[in-house]
Amino acid sequence: MSDTKPNTVSAEWLYEQLGDEDLVIVDATVHLSTPPDGSVHIEPGLATYLEEHIPGAVYADLFTDFSDHEAPQPFTAASSERFATAAGAVGIGEGRRVVLYDQKNGIWAARLWWQLRLEGFDDAAVLDGGLPAWKAAGYPLSDEQVVPHGATFTSQHRPELVRSTEEIAASLDDPNTLIINALDPATYRGESPSYPRRGHIPGSINIPFGDLVDPSTGRLKPAAELREIFDKAGALNPDVKPVTYCGGGIAASGLAHALAAAGRSDVAVYDGSLNAWTADESLPLVEGPDPR
């Protein structure tokens, strides 16, 4: 589906596909901010979608429709049943090709990409560079709210692509599991007060999602560069299973997508991430630059 890396497409490729009946373009933008008081403010991206979006794109509300609101952590992946309803409502289903994008660096699009894979849907790709790349190429924009053509989505859940807190705790000394922290180095080292307790999961290494994106374009670095980064960290070793985490599963999904672009498509995401891990004071954390 891609002309650049697996699971990604370029703005040029997408422009050439506009109008294809089987193509569903989805804006998955969420606006997440942290006010000075340390709280987290979540705002769906519908308002900015209505201001400008790729012609024909529908809007998917990851927070409202694609998350489990009964879970203690925000953005916890929805149940297979809830996800199938939400995906079908925006036109994702059998016989459809899907391109996902957001108005930032692709992290929200990658989240929906991972959720689609979790529920057995593989014909989805992330627009490399998102809406900024589309605009930089000079392609047209629309402010018309698109009514989705509903589809039937049949979930085929892949439990091997998600990890629970209990499973992570049980794998801390498993040499066949490589736990990867996708947050910035300061947070990994425990220097940032972003969570109730500081530090990283014991044994986990740090590959910040921000290091995988070209800051000038918002696009993923070339596949060869990604492979070099992941190979150096041991994440391409076929004898280990990578599991990614962050604060709430979003950057972890971006890291899983980047690993897929580098050829590693079996990556699992610890969906609760530090929001869940730090909430349980019986679970260990390590401060400093070393994994243990």
Side-chain angles (χ1 to χ4, degrees):
M1 187 169 182
S2 169
D3 59 352
T4 51
K5 313 176 193 72
N7 304 307
T8 70
V9 297
S10 67
E12 293 76 13
W13 182 93
L14 182 57
Y15 179 70
E16 294 173 357
Q17 313 299 312
L18 285 186
D20 285 6
E21 291 187 0
D22 65 337
L23 180 66
V24 181
I25 307 172
V26 182
D27 184 324
T29 302
V30 177
H31 301 292
L32 189 67
S33 60
T34 306
D37 63 4
S39 62
V40 176
H41 181 69
I42 300 167
E43 182 181 353
L46 178 60
T48 46
Y49 162 83
L50 292 173
E51 291 175 4
E52 58 178 14
H53 55 262
I54 295 173
V58 299
Y59 178 71
D61 189 333
L62 298 192
F63 180 66
T64 303
D65 299 330
F66 289 86
S67 299
D68 179 1
H69 292 278
E70 296 182 2
Q73 288 83 36
F75 293 108
T76 297
S79 67
S80 295
E81 295 74 19
R82 180 179 176 88
F83 184 88
T85 299
V90 297
I92 301 174
E94 185 176 354
R96 304 282 173 87
R97 297 179 297 152
V98 180
V99 173
L100 311 159
Y101 77 92
D102 58 45
Q103 300 179 25
K104 301 184 183 297
N105 60 3
I107 202 168
W108 297 104
R111 175 63 180 183
L112 186 51
W113 169 87
W114 171 73
Q115 287 189 262
L116 283 166
R117 291 204 68 244
L118 179 64
E119 299 303 336
F121 188 91
D122 290 328
D123 204 357
V126 172
L127 174 61
D128 208 10
L131 190 65
W134 180 267
K135 294 169 66 173
Y139 294 136
L141 295 165
S142 173
D143 60 3
E144 176 185 358
Q145 184 167 10
V146 177
V147 178
H149 296 289
T152 299
F153 186 96
T154 303
S155 291
Q156 296 179 313
H157 188 70
R158 292 168 168 153
E160 69 274 13
L161 295 183
V162 66
R163 290 288 184 276
S164 66
T165 299
E166 294 74 20
E167 289 170 327
I168 293 295
S171 67
L172 293 185
D173 297 315
D174 179 6
N176 296 319
T177 300
L178 180 66
I179 306 175
I180 309 173
N181 181 308
L183 296 172
D184 63 280
T187 302
Y188 172 82
R189 294 191 299 263
E191 298 167 4
S192 170
S194 302
Y195 302 96
R197 296 187 295 137
R198 302 188 186 201
H200 57 267
I201 295 173
S204 63
I205 64 171
N206 186 211
I207 304 179
F209 175 73
D211 288 357
L212 309 176
V213 178
D214 184 330
S216 64
T217 65
R219 299 180 184 180
L220 280 178
K221 291 181 176 179
E225 291 186 29
L226 294 176
R227 283 192 291 269
E228 183 178 356
I229 292 170
F230 293 134
D231 189 46
K232 183 178 180 181
L236 300 185
N237 182 348
D239 293 330
V240 303
K241 177 66 178 287
V243 180
T244 64
Y245 77 100
C246 55
I250 306 303
S253 300
L255 183 53
H257 175 257
L259 273 158
R264 190 78 199 244
S265 60
D266 62 341
V267 180
V269 170
Y270 171 26
D271 202 28
S273 287
L274 284 180
N275 282 336
W277 191 269
T278 60
D280 186 342
E281 293 190 0
S282 71
L283 296 174
L285 286 164
V286 175
E287 294 187 39
D290 297 323
R292 295 188 183 276

